[in-house]
Amino acid sequence: MDILGATLRVCVDDLEASVSFYERLAGTRALRFERGGVEVAAVGCFLLMSGPEAELEVLRKVAATIAVADVDEAHKTLTELGADVVAGPVGTPAGRNLIARHPDGSVYEYVDRRPAQDTA
């Protein structure tokens, strides 16, 4: 499994104010989308999320987002190593993802950049 990088997950109250700060910090524009009632802005290595507290409570349980070359390969490797895949793989606006709980109890999201139509 090729790990390409990691994204820090940040839950914020005011997405607009936060996006402005992180765009200046990272020197890049935000990629915005909505998922499950949560507004999301990807800015450099930061994934900003804002929305209903019940949704954010679930999202806070995921320590980080890890970019991989292929989510299917990650799924295979993770299960072989004893991780529990608790969701996915599924398509998202930015590619495909899965959520896995490692044997130590840590929870991570793994994503690739394959378009959602490639998940069939």
Side-chain angles (χ1 to χ4, degrees), residues 38-109:
V38 174
E39 293 180 73
V40 180
V43 187
C45 67
F46 301 97
L47 189 64
L48 310 176
M49 301 172 287
S50 184
E53 186 55 39
E55 296 294 328
L56 295 179
E57 184 178 332
V58 172
L59 295 172
R60 284 186 182 103
K61 294 178 182 179
V62 178
T65 298
I66 300 170
V68 294
D70 185 335
V71 163
D72 294 325
E73 182 183 348
H75 184 277
K76 181 178 183 291
T77 301
L78 287 162
T79 55
E80 286 173 355
L81 294 173
D84 179 26
V85 176
V86 296
V90 297
T92 74
R96 297 176 318 135
N97 78 344
L98 65 78
I99 306 291
R101 183 179 306 107
H102 291 188
D104 65 5
S106 300
V107 178
Y108 295 93
E109 175 186 35

